[in-house]
Amino acid sequence: MTASPPPASPLRAKRVLPGFGLTMGVTLTYVGVIVLLPVVALVLKGAEIGPARFFAILSAPRTLAALQLTLLAAFMATVFNAAYGLLMAWVLVRYDFPGKRILDALMDIPFALPTAVAGLALSALFAGNGWYGALLEPMGFKVVFTIWGVAVAMSFTSIPFVVRAVQPVLEDLDPQYEQAAITLGAHPFTVFRRVIFPAILPAYMVGITLSFARSLGEFGAVVFIAGNLPMKTEIASLLAVIRLEEYDYNGAAAIAMTLLVIALLLLAVSNLAQARALRYKGKTA
Amino acid sequence: MTMSIAHLTRRFGATEVLRGIDLAVDKGELVALLGPSGSGKTTLLKIIAGLDWPDAGALTVDGEDWLAKRAQDRRIGFVFQHYALFPHMKVRDNIAFGLTVLPKAERPAPKQIAARVGELLHFLQIAPLGDRYPAELSGGQRQRVALGRALAVDPRILLLDEPFGALDAQVRRDLRRWLRGVHDAAGTTTIFVTHDQEEAFELADRVVVMGAGRIEQIGRPDEIYDHPATPFVARFLGLTVELPVTLRAGRAEAPGLDPSALPRRAMADGPATLFLRPTEITPVPDTTGPWRVAEAVSTGALLRLGLEGPADCRIEVEVPRRAGRGLTEGQTVRLRPEAGQIFPRQSNSDGASAPAAKPLSSVKESSL
């Protein structure tokens, strides 16, 4: 066998859309400067501290309390958002009613509203003399200056993530799947559990993850309602700010690093879970 | 099971989709609902399935009122045009679905379900595919899985919506024969919807031709092919050449027409329209014939002739190319139809005095 394969065509295939080099370059530069560099700087700053000092900062009671509060409140907020967001998306997609478009638009308010405004409004409502607070406090349920307040604020600012992630997938779901399930004898709840829910699950998980990540980092809305009592209602981001104001750069960096790692871990787990949920789409014959 | 449908009507807004359907289907029958798109055949199928509801009429199966039953409780098998296999379930789980959603008291044990699924996979000749996802299957394989899923619950009636519509021609022919075999072996009653007359005629025991929300004709395939009952059916079955004729003593008369091959009809004298298939007309060269070959195009096996005749009539006929050697452009001919269908001309409808051989698109629903 001496015949070599013919040389590849010297003509490079032309791209249909021009400007790939330019747009890609700008995009990468932007990502580098705005997203990656700060993260890298943070990691480097954290690395300077050294492991022993790092753990000393983290295991300080005040830091631990702040991290614990942040995680727990974010978890509570996410559980609520997961349930309510799914319901909201369902109502917005599946039913027609007057004012549906207004309700749909309302869902974006938490995104559009400055978080400080949200925090102010929430603390006014839940304060002992506010509309909600006046009802709840006589029943012995205090929201402001407690973990509940923190969770309420987190939930408010991150609810649209779940709704907006699930809504388009639910809209695109082919009604034939449900009809098929019905003709096979499945009753409404079974149809939801076995046919609809698995279809929206990947998007739902994205929404939940984003909602949790946003709750972890929520600052503006929380500080108004939490009371910010050290060891009790002080969230991790606020503690990082306090450390910075005390010129304790290492302390601030260590807390920030911890939040970063939790967020990244979450993202990774969510992506893995999604890949698993979508494995049926992978190998296409 | 025997099904009977009476005076079924359905409208979507102002559009009447079904305008009074009466139909009876016997146990073990394989029935085709044949019609062009928009004829209401899929709506009828969905009403039988319980996925749509009529505005009026009755649907009974073995004496039970099915309109009072939800789709879940009708125990039917429905195969969707695009199969609607659950994408997140393996083939095995798709087929088992109908069994696994049965109420606890009726649900077979997991072992029995697995055995039933294995049996069906084998029966449908897709045994090696049990652990694949639908996205990993070809169209024909998906079709088989969809049928397996529908058959798993042992349906009282099997309903198929354009079962071969999304497949390529070769697979379509193979699956057609296979489906007939499955129907016979499973012993179900089957109704399928199609717009392809070849498919309907090859597969079905009885064909129901639908047009614009009405049943135009019900009969065995040959019966319908040979004796279309209405102008609509005639046109739909390819009798696209329409000649204005005059009936005299049961025989069609028109200038240049040799009706000797057509049987006499017991019909009143008067104006009528003769419907013919382009392939069932022989142009006979005749120097005094009123028809003239205006155009002759060869398609290889066939010679397609455009003929111009009296009163601005223009028709198209097809003859085997070798038989048509003498038929060059400018030649005058007589027409000798081998078979055809005659309908009295409607005073207010199409074909009255219009030139014959109108394109199909201009076909209006006559008031038959």
Side-chain angles (χ1 to χ4, degrees):
Chain A
M1 290 291 284
T2 51
S4 58
S9 162
L11 288 170
R12 262 178 52 200
K14 289 267 191 292
R15 288 179 194 278
V16 179
L17 281 175
F20 174 72
L22 182 66
T23 51
M24 190 69 184
V26 171
T27 310
L28 285 183
T29 311
Y30 180 84
V31 167
V33 171
I34 304 290
V35 181
L36 277 182
L37 262 184
V39 173
V40 171
L42 180 63
V43 172
L44 288 179
K45 186 80 196 155
E48 268 173 28
I49 305 169
R53 174 93 184 89
F54 188 84
F55 284 109
I57 294 172
L58 280 194
S59 55
R62 190 169 169 190
T63 322
L64 274 183
L67 284 172
Q68 200 187 359
L69 171 86
T70 309
L71 281 171
L72 189 59
F75 178 76
M76 285 158 58
T78 305
V79 167
F80 174 79
N81 282 354
Y84 177 76
L86 183 61
L87 192 71
M88 189 71 203
W90 181 265
V91 167
L92 282 177
V93 173
R94 286 305 167 109
Y95 308 112
D96 274 313
F97 49 89
K100 173 170 165 167
R101 293 173 64 108
I102 296 172
L103 187 64
D104 194 38
L106 277 178
M107 267 297 103
D108 284 328
I109 283 190
F111 274 170
L113 211 61
T115 51
V117 175
L120 210 58
L122 286 175
S123 43
L125 278 177
F126 282 101
N129 54 0
W131 291 349
Y132 299 163
L135 281 176
L136 291 171
E137 288 200 359
M139 296 193 291
F141 192 76
K142 202 165 146 49
V143 174
V144 283
F145 308 152
T146 68
I147 187 171
W148 293 101
V150 178
V152 165
M154 286 175 169
S155 166
F156 179 86
T157 52
S158 59
I159 181 79
F161 281 110
V162 178
V163 180
R164 292 295 184 229
V166 172
Q167 205 180 355
V169 181
L170 206 52
E171 255 162 18
D172 288 346
L173 196 64
D174 193 334
Q176 284 213 343
Y177 296 127
E178 284 160 67
Q179 293 183 343
I182 289 169
T183 61
L184 290 163
H187 288 264
F189 183 70
T190 313
V191 176
F192 179 80
R193 187 172 59 85
R194 301 222 15 216
V195 177
I196 300 173
F197 190 69
I200 59 174
L201 183 61
Y204 189 42
M205 284 194 306
V206 172
I208 290 175
T209 315
L210 287 178
S211 166
F212 189 78
R214 169 74 196 253
S215 297
L216 271 188
E218 182 48 45
F219 181 83
V222 174
V223 291
F224 282 89
I225 199 172
N228 310 321
L229 308 168
M231 304 295 295
K232 283 186 73 184
T233 58
E234 186 178 58
I235 53 166
S237 333
L238 179 65
L239 187 59
V241 173
I242 292 171
R243 290 286 180 256
L244 201 65
E245 282 171 348
E246 294 166 348
Y247 302 106
D248 179 3
Y249 295 119
N250 287 347
I255 295 169
M257 270 267 284
T258 313
L259 287 177
L260 177 75
V261 167
I262 295 173
L264 286 182
L265 268 180
L266 213 66
L267 219 59
V269 169
S270 152
N271 278 338
L272 281 178
Q274 258 187 75
R276 214 186 112 68
L278 285 172
R279 65 198 185 283
Y280 58 83
K281 282 189 180 163
K283 306 162 280 177
T284 304
Chain B
M1 81 115 239
T2 53
M3 186 185 75
S4 94
I5 292 172
H7 314 308
L8 215 60
T9 60
R10 175 77 173 111
R11 56 171 76 232
F12 296 140
T15 330
E16 277 189 287
V17 182
L18 296 176
R19 319 177 184 210
I21 299 289
D22 293 277
L23 176 67
V25 177
D26 279 333
K27 186 174 169 48
E29 257 195 312
L30 180 48
V31 172
L33 301 179
L34 174 66
S37 53
S39 58
K41 54 196 194 306
T42 296
T43 305
L44 179 57
L45 197 75
K46 291 206 158 165
I47 288 175
I48 298 172
L51 296 173
D52 195 5
W53 302 86
D55 295 311
L59 165 65
T60 53
V61 171
D62 291 334
E64 281 176 355
D65 178 11
W66 263 23
L67 294 180
K69 274 187 157 196
R70 291 179 306 171
Q72 286 98 326
D73 306 324
R74 293 187 188 185
R75 200 153 60 85
I76 46 148
F78 197 104
V79 176
F80 289 82
Q81 184 174 5
H82 299 287
Y83 322 127
L85 297 175
F86 305 127
H88 59 283
M89 291 183 204
K90 291 178 175 172
V91 165
R92 207 175 281 290
D93 301 320
N94 260 291
I95 294 178
F97 188 88
L99 296 170
T100 57
V101 299
L102 285 170
K104 270 225 169 63
E106 300 166 40
R107 195 185 307 160
K111 255 195 190 142
Q112 283 170 283
I113 293 180
R116 173 84 177 126
V117 170
E119 203 177 283
L120 276 165
L121 285 170
H122 187 73
F123 176 58
L124 302 171
Q125 300 155 12
I126 44 173
L129 305 180
D131 291 312
R132 298 229 198 139
Y133 286 102
E136 301 165 341
L137 304 178
S138 70
Q141 290 167 335
R142 282 180 211 177
Q143 171 66 267
R144 288 169 193 242
V145 176
L147 197 59
R149 185 176 67 175
L151 286 172
V153 291
D154 201 9
R156 300 169 75 177
I157 183 162
L158 187 60
L159 306 167
L160 303 103
D161 185 9
E162 296 276 1
F164 310 109
L167 301 171
D168 56 63
Q170 182 58 44
V171 180
R172 191 183 281 222
R173 270 191 291 275
D174 291 347
L175 271 183
R176 215 184 276 167
R177 275 178 217 123
W178 171 86
L179 178 65
R180 179 76 227 192
V182 167
H183 167 86
D184 292 341
T188 54
T189 308
T190 307
I191 300 178
F192 75 100
V193 156
T194 181
H195 63 266
D196 179 344
Q197 46 164 306
E198 194 187 319
E199 200 166 286
F201 286 2
E202 183 178 336
L203 203 50
D205 298 320
R206 275 200 307 157
V207 176
V208 177
V209 185
M210 291 183 66
R214 279 206 185 80
I215 291 181
E216 295 278 342
Q217 189 173 7
I218 305 178
R220 287 183 297 101
D222 292 352
E223 225 170 77
I224 292 182
Y225 189 86
D226 291 340
H227 305 290
T230 65
F232 173 86
V233 179
R235 290 187 195 109
F236 187 66
L237 296 186
L239 282 77
T240 52
V241 175
E242 295 173 30
L243 286 179
V245 295
T246 311
L247 267 180
R248 199 156 295 148
R251 184 138 270 179
E253 289 181 2
L257 184 75
D258 170 5
S260 54
L262 301 174
R264 282 176 190 275
R265 299 296 155 98
M267 285 165 77
D269 290 357
T273 306
L274 176 61
F275 286 75
L276 302 160
R277 288 192 173 83
T279 50
E280 291 178 344
I281 305 168
T282 312
V284 182
D286 181 344
T287 45
T288 60
W291 293 86
R292 196 178 63 83
V293 179
E295 195 185 15
V297 181
S298 164
T299 63
L302 292 173
L303 200 58
R304 186 170 297 145
L305 302 170
L307 303 180
E308 277 171 4
D312 277 343
C313 266
R314 192 186 160 90
I315 63 169
E316 206 163 78
V317 304
E318 285 171 357
V319 293
R321 185 161 57 90
R322 289 185 219 297
R325 283 214 181 92
L327 298 166
T328 48
E329 283 174 27
Q331 172 78 47
T332 51
V333 295
R334 269 179 303 131
L335 301 180
R336 200 188 124 80
E338 311 300 328
Q341 201 66 20
I342 299 169
F343 296 102
R345 213 176 305 167
Q346 310 261 304
S347 50
N348 60 343
S349 102
D350 44 12
S353 59
K358 312 194 317 173
L360 263 177
S361 59
S362 72
V363 168
K364 288 193 297 285
E365 239 310 276
S366 62
S367 53
L368 276 167

